Amino acid sequence: MSQYSETHDPETRFETLGVEWREDRVVVELRRPEARNAINAEMIAELHQVCARIEADPKPLLLTGHGTVFAGGADISELRERGRDQALAGINSRLFERLHRLQAPTVAAVDGFALGGGAELSYACDIRIATPTAVFAQPEPGLGIIAGAGACWRLKELVGTSVAKQVLIGGFKLDAEAALRHGLVAEIVPSEELRERAHGLIDRMAASSAMALRMTKMVLDADGVHPLADDLTQAVLFESADKHDRMTRFLERKKR
């Protein structure tokens, strides 16, 4: 058993992750410090386990890295041995899409390097916050491959085509200031405050209606004509007891 295995759930043990199953959130720390938290097949499998549990019991997810690095990319020793069949199986991309499709909000707290697959993992989250030392980069073409786990289309959606091409083709890195300027991260906070601020963000989410957040995320991520999706979603929420209770409390506070 790895010395870094840790969970508050005695039924689940992880080798590459530290996981806290809290009442109102899940906190996941990537833990492969000997490899700068590089994403390997074991970590992918363990993250699938986390996603399965959140799918069964939706709650916000906070994703971060151990130490002063988020994730230094995918495990190159494993990538070197992968062939056509493994590429078509989308080992990393299927996980990142599953993470992106979780019903509850997801937050990536990025300290230090988020490179290659590590950057793509952060792109799959709904919101990113970063420290001043954060760096996002896609060095894959230098290794003879593409950023094939979502960066070629997800980064474009996040920062625009021009900036995405600068990163993916030009080899530019986005430091924290550039990431903030282009909207990739929501804010820059000191390293020692990163987790506290990330939890504060989730606290704000937890104060909102879980169903309303779920429906908002669903509509934001939906393809096609949005007015219909907006109407159908709102119709569901308008019938909820939670909506009625929240608006009643608001009106009662306003009367005081």
Side-chain angles (χ1 to χ4, degrees):
M1 183 64 65
S2 165
Q3 63 175 315
Y4 295 103
S5 297
E6 173 182 306
T7 176
H8 292 281
D9 179 0
E11 297 180 359
T12 308
R13 304 295 296 178
F14 296 109
E15 293 291 333
T16 69
L17 306 174
V19 182
E20 297 179 41
W21 307 103
R22 300 191 184 183
E23 183 177 351
D24 64 345
R25 72 198 63 185
V26 179
V27 183
V28 174
E29 181 181 84
L30 309 178
R31 283 188 173 179
R32 293 191 68 220
E34 74 286 356
R36 297 199 303 175
N37 302 331
I39 301 168
N40 64 356
E42 186 174 23
M43 184 181 287
I44 291 291
E46 291 182 351
L47 285 169
H48 271 297
Q49 292 182 53
V50 172
C51 285
R53 173 112 176 224
I54 296 174
E55 288 165 350
D57 180 18
K59 58 185 64 177
L61 168 66
L62 170 56
L63 184 63
T64 189
H66 178 77
T68 58
V69 62
F70 181 73
D75 191 305
I76 303 303
S77 63
E78 289 188 358
L79 280 181
R80 184 182 60 181
E81 303 307 315
R82 290 180 185 174
R84 175 188 58 202
D85 291 343
Q86 289 75 33
L88 291 174
I91 295 171
N92 288 13
S93 62
R94 297 300 184 271
L95 168 70
F96 298 169
E97 182 61 15
R98 186 177 190 179
L99 172 66
H100 181 71
R101 294 294 178 185
L102 290 176
Q103 296 175 1
T106 55
V107 176
V110 179
D111 190 11
F113 287 113
L115 307 179
E120 291 175 302
L121 177 59
S122 77
Y123 304 158
C125 292
D126 296 314
I127 300 174
R128 288 151 296 282
I129 63 174
T131 68
T133 62
V135 177
F136 301 84
Q138 305 293 160
E140 288 90 345
L143 296 169
I145 58 175
I146 68 167
C152 285
W153 53 275
R154 193 168 274 139
L155 184 60
K156 181 174 68 172
E157 293 178 352
L158 292 169
V159 301
T161 301
S162 178
V163 175
K165 285 185 176 181
Q166 291 170 41
V167 174
L168 292 162
I169 299 174
F172 285 83
K173 299 177 176 65
L174 294 178
D175 62 17
E177 291 293 340
L180 180 65
R181 186 167 62 251
H182 294 298
L184 182 60
V185 303
E187 62 178 343
I188 302 172
V189 302
S191 180
E192 62 272 17
E193 298 177 16
L194 179 63
R195 295 199 185 195
E196 179 183 355
R197 295 287 281 274
H199 279 294
L201 174 57
I202 292 179
D203 289 342
R204 293 202 302 273
M205 295 174 179
S208 295
S209 160
M211 180 62 73
L213 288 181
R214 173 181 172 183
M215 293 292 194
T216 299
K217 181 173 176 177
M218 181 183 71
V219 173
L220 277 167
D221 290 338
D223 296 324
V225 180
H226 278 273
L228 178 59
D230 290 352
D231 293 345
L232 292 174
T233 301
Q234 199 71 297
V236 172
L237 291 172
F238 273 12
E239 295 296 319
S240 71
D242 185 48
K243 167 254 186 181
H244 183 272
D245 292 344
R246 285 173 178 275
M247 291 189 177
T248 299
R249 289 197 298 271
F250 174 82
L251 292 171
E252 288 175 349
R253 287 197 302 270
K254 204 171 180 183
K255 291 178 181 176
R256 295 172 189 167

